[in-house]
Amino acid sequence: MLDIAAICLVITALLSYLNHRFIGLPTTIGVMAAALALSLVLIGLDAVGVAHGLRAYEESLLRSIDFSDVLMQGMLSLLLFAGALHVDLSELKAYRWQVGALAVLGTLLSTLAVGIGLWLVLPLIGLDLPLMYCLLFGALISPTDPIAVMGILKSANAPKELELVIAGESLFNDGVGVVIFSLLLGMLASGVVPTPGQGLELLLHEAGGGLLFGWVLGYVTFRLLKSVDNYQVEVLLTLAAVTGGYTLASALHVSGPLAMVVAGLMIGNHGRALAMSDTTRGYLDMFWELLDEMLNAALFVLMGMEVLLVAFSLHELVAAAVAVGVTLAARLLTVGLPVRLLPRAFNLPAGSWKVLTWGGLRGGISVALALSLPAGPERDTVVALTYGVVVFSILAQGLSIGAVTRRAIRCR
């Protein structure tokens, strides 16, 4: 494990350096593009009989890493906590209903829209995928990833309220999407479809329990932070709260992602304001910012390299292009149109619906959930579709969201 971690760290550091020194893209997009290009070069060289050993070595390295486990049980808790840590709760409260509607109702409706849409469209290109797998794809592709887009929105001088809604939606819909995916996966495994009441009960237990557990975890950590004034101890307490809290949430069968978001909001607001000295606050911010940046870079490098393990046929490439269209249409239908048609309810600048639609980037959570499906041809198809949508999302949407924001909002 130490050897694997060392290799991943070296590759991430070198690609980050190359991107910063020569390419100049946002870090997450740049390192993923570089890793993807490296993998495609190895595939090309192997196809002409050159560098077969390098491709085999990279594939062996990737097979030794359980991407789904590394992200869902390792990185995710840290990334969500770090993301929530810097969200201003007083500002988020002003948009709590908007964020809640987009994160909960938007994710539920998107799951149905993508799943049913794909189930109806795929047979037209000669690819049959059972409805349950289409719905699972809808659940795993609906959560959005704020990592790659937030820096670009800041550089485009996007309005603060729009940044806030995008960040809030992305932080909470990760947890909602994971809960929906878990429910559907349980239905697939058992073959039993729960009644609407049972489904709602399970959803409330997972999501509601996660929110409540996150509040308790945040409050306990806050009290501990307030009782000491030592930045080493306080930073260590937050790290322990995240790693230990996520593990305990899993044992309690409540949503760990939602718990981490709530805990992060509490520590980042009440904890920073009432339980920390200026020295501790500075070290805490620096620690979590560095950890966030390093983990994000490593995550996107792994995503770029994973293309070697995805079996793409010509049929599946066409299907992936169709999935991109269906996913964008569902995003427009479940997020863009409500914001466009109900401007007073959402209270966002004119043109925000375009940014929310195009800025709904997908990331590592979608890939990790796809890889967690049981082995079989359906899983291979879902993984290929997911990877296609994520790559398009990060590279095409991520690189153009700045221009879309400037044109849609007319930022100065």
Side-chain angles (χ1 to χ4, degrees), residues 341-362:
L341 298 176
L342 302 170
R344 291 186 178 179
F346 284 93
N347 194 27
L348 292 171
S352 294
W353 67 276
K354 299 177 184 177
V355 181
L356 283 163
T357 300
W358 192 248
L361 275 62
R362 274 69 182 185

Side-chain angles (χ1 to χ4, degrees), residues 85 89 93 215 218-230 234 264-281 284-285:
L85 200 62
L89 193 56
K93 282 181 179 178
W215 183 86
Y219 179 76
V220 170
T221 307
F222 165 74
R223 298 301 302 181
L224 292 173
L225 293 173
K226 194 173 182 179
S227 66
V228 297
D229 184 15
N230 181 292
E234 291 179 77
L265 288 172
M266 289 190 66
I267 301 304
N269 289 268
H270 300 301
R272 281 167 53 84
L274 304 174
M276 300 178 194
S277 64
D278 291 340
T279 300
T280 297
R281 198 176 298 118
L284 186 81
D285 288 345

